Amino acid sequence: MRCSSSRHSGERINMFVRPHPSARVSSKPCIPKSRLALSTCAITLGLGLAQHSAFAADVAPAIDTGDTAWMLTSTALVLMMTIPGLALFYAGMVRKKNVLATLMQSFALCCIISIVWMVAGYSLAFTTGSPWIGGLGRMFLNGIGANIHNGADIGFTLGADSPNATTMTIPESIFMMFQMTFAIITPALISGAYAERMKFSAMCVFSIIWSLIVYAPIAHWVWSPIGWLGGLGTADFAGGTVVHINAGVAGLVCALVLGRRKGYGQDDLSPFNLTYAVIGASLLWVGWFGFNAGSAVGANGRAGMAMAATQIAAAGAGVSWMLIEWLRSGKPTVLGVISGAVGGLVAITPAAGFVLPGSALIIGLITGVVCYWGATSLKHMMGYDDSLDAFGVHGVGGIVGALLTGLFAYGPLSATDSNPSGITGSVHQLIVQSEAVLVTIVWCAVVSFIILKVVDLVIGLRVTPDEELEGLDMSLHGERIND
């Protein structure tokens, strides 16, 4: 989500302030019976009004309770996207012998990345050390409790008077938690590409390093008040580049480095239980309202428009995937329609706060077709084994959404005092979006490849052929689903 979408405290108008408790102003009319009584009443009222004005000037609360309540809700919704949403979505698409291991990946990453974000990830992403990377001022969330009664000042290392500082109407602790849920789900999305064959220990080490040197820098480039991609004018409302292209490209690199699963293209690798996958996709869809509408960082009109765009794009992509599959194979499948809907959710993520409903429908319809091609024809043509289509859905969908944002952005939705025209669809904006997409792909691909090779050299990436044949549930975790 973009920090610039929040309101500045200086723009807030305190429309209603309760009188100070010490201002004892009677609710009954003051009817003096003498000149002395008249003077006494006037003095009393004057003192009360003076105390009232002083109190109003002192408090002028920066925190908006409605915004805060919505962001608390949004944070919970986005966390639900990983556990149980993504966990069930992925677990329903693997073979029975790997269901528990797949669930374990999402749940363990939720625990691990929460700590990584608390220790250093948040500081690297959102303190303003330089346009390239944040500083260490918030390591271990140092100082986050100093202003718990005021709105978050994202850009705190620059000082509140800096033009790059962005003051919000929610506490910093909530902003940090909201961003933590994004940092959690991104490496969890990657796990769909290496499902059924990566060592659990290797997954943990790779995810920790990747979060710090791939995710945090890109989040800083796009969303920090002084990030260099944001400075170019990149429009990424809720994570098309930061989350989905990032995760999709990393997943593709993982699939290429690890190689195919045993029996790929020969054995039956069909999903164990698509019921789990449908439940998971449904939870993802509901949670996505927190993901996208929450990125408005407030309970406002932009959040409402982002929610509408999210619903419409997901529906459009689900329908277009279903129709193209129906035409090509003669049958619409459950796996197809849920994959299409998720693809639509992915594509609308960068655009949600920038486009109108009609554009959202176009984005969804286009994305459903393109993601279908990415998850079927492209994968078979290139020969890689992206187990659960992390790249085919998230990578491809993220690229499509980021580029179409540059064409369909409706300026008034993102207009500010400093930029009255907002971000508007144009050839120039499409070029800016293309640059951001290309930078994300290159940085993520190169650094992810290096991390994987180092981890493979130190502890190994892939389970043994016997462990893969037995299934990761038993070989890695000593557990299995009973018949």
Side-chain angles (χ1 to χ4, degrees):
M1 42 75 42
R2 293 176 61 85
C3 296
S4 59
S5 63
S6 59
R7 292 173 289 183
H8 290 265
S9 58
E11 297 171 357
R12 293 179 56 77
I13 299 175
N14 196 7
M15 301 300 295
F16 175 77
V17 180
R18 294 181 181 178
H20 194 281
S22 62
R24 299 177 181 276
V25 182
S26 173
S27 60
K28 297 180 180 180
C30 180
I31 306 176
K33 295 184 178 180
S34 66
R35 184 171 297 178
L36 177 62
L38 177 63
S39 300
T40 303
C41 183
I43 291 170
T44 301
L45 285 171
L47 288 173
L49 290 172
Q51 288 176 317
H52 182 140
S53 299
F55 178 69
D58 286 342
V59 293
I63 289 179
D64 184 285
T65 54
D67 291 348
T68 300
W70 169 237
M71 293 309 298
L72 286 166
T73 303
S74 294
T75 300
L77 286 171
V78 182
L79 182 62
M80 184 184 74
M81 290 174 67
T82 304
I83 52 170
L86 186 69
L88 285 170
F89 183 60
Y90 277 174
M93 293 191 286
V94 297
R95 289 168 289 177
K96 183 179 180 180
K97 61 185 179 181
N98 296 310
V99 169
L100 295 177
T102 303
L103 290 168
M104 176 70 167
Q105 288 172 345
S106 291
F107 202 95
L109 285 172
C110 181
C111 299
I112 292 168
I113 302 303
S114 294
I115 298 172
V116 171
W117 192 249
M118 177 260 184
V119 172
Y122 175 65
S123 190
L124 292 173
F126 286 102
T127 59
T128 47
S130 77
W132 306 99
I133 192 65
L136 301 178
R138 280 292 192 263
M139 280 192 70
F140 292 93
L141 301 184
N142 174 55
I144 200 171
N147 294 298
I148 60 173
H149 301 299
N150 298 316
D153 180 19
I154 307 306
F156 42 78
T157 59
L158 297 172
D161 295 331
S162 167
N164 289 314
T166 303
T167 302
M168 299 183 180
T169 56
I170 62 173
E172 187 182 348
S173 58
I174 298 177
F175 177 77
M176 180 278 298
M177 274 294 301
F178 183 64
Q179 288 297 332
M180 178 189 286
T181 60
F182 282 57
I184 288 169
I185 198 170
T186 308
L189 290 171
I190 301 171
S191 67
Y194 55 70
E196 303 191 299
R197 60 197 187 279
M198 183 182 260
K199 292 167 62 175
F200 184 73
S201 58
M203 182 215 71
C204 293
V205 174
F206 167 77
S207 298
I208 291 170
I209 300 172
W210 188 90
S211 294
L212 291 173
I213 66 176
V214 177
Y215 179 85
I218 292 179
H220 183 80
W221 298 348
V222 177
W223 287 335
S224 168
I226 62 168
W228 72 278
L229 283 178
L232 293 177
T234 300
D236 187 355
F237 190 68
T241 51
V242 179
V243 176
H244 297 292
I245 297 176
N246 215 4
V249 170
L252 177 60
V253 175
C254 285
L256 292 171
V257 172
L258 280 164
R260 303 177 184 181
R261 289 168 288 177
K262 297 297 181 184
Y264 180 76
Q266 300 172 356
D267 297 342
D268 181 11
L269 305 180
S270 59
F272 161 65
N273 192 332
L274 282 177
T275 302
Y276 291 174
V278 172
I279 294 171
S282 302
L283 290 168
L284 283 169
W285 192 330
V286 174
W288 226 289
F289 293 128
F291 203 79
N292 286 358
S295 292
V297 199
N300 50 43
R302 201 175 186 194
M305 190 62 75
M307 179 175 281
T310 300
Q311 178 71 17
I312 292 166
V319 168
S320 64
W321 183 307
M322 180 179 67
L323 289 175
I324 192 70
E325 184 180 47
W326 201 342
L327 288 171
R328 290 196 64 185
S329 66
K331 295 180 180 178
T333 66
V334 172
L335 181 58
V337 72
I338 62 175
S339 297
V342 171
L345 292 166
V346 168
I348 200 61
T349 293
F354 296 107
V355 300
L356 294 174
S359 299
L361 178 59
I362 295 171
I363 290 172
L365 292 171
I366 293 172
T367 303
V369 175
V370 178
C371 284
Y372 174 80
W373 170 80
T376 55
S377 300
L378 178 64
K379 182 166 68 172
H380 295 316
M381 181 171 58
M382 300 297 292
Y384 57 84
D385 181 11
D386 177 7
S387 308
L388 309 180
D389 295 314
F391 177 73
V393 173
H394 295 276
V396 173
I399 292 169
V400 171
L403 296 178
L404 292 180
T405 301
L407 291 178
F408 293 117
Y410 176 68
L413 286 176
S414 56
T416 62
D417 291 342
S418 59
N419 182 19
S421 62
I423 293 178
T424 303
S426 64
V427 173
H428 170 72
Q429 189 61 43
L430 178 61
I431 293 172
V432 171
Q433 298 298 104
S434 302
E435 291 172 348
V437 168
L438 182 61
V439 166
T440 302
I441 291 172
V442 172
W443 177 261
C444 180
V446 172
V447 181
S448 297
F449 179 80
I450 294 171
I451 297 171
L452 288 166
K453 286 299 184 180
V454 172
V455 173
D456 192 24
L457 181 65
V458 176
I459 62 174
L461 283 174
R462 186 163 179 160
V463 297
T464 67
D466 289 341
E467 289 173 329
E468 187 173 344
L469 183 62
E470 183 182 16
L472 305 191
D473 290 1
M474 279 301 298
S475 64
L476 296 184
H477 305 293
E479 299 168 300
R480 66 159 52 97
I481 296 176
N482 295 325
D483 292 328

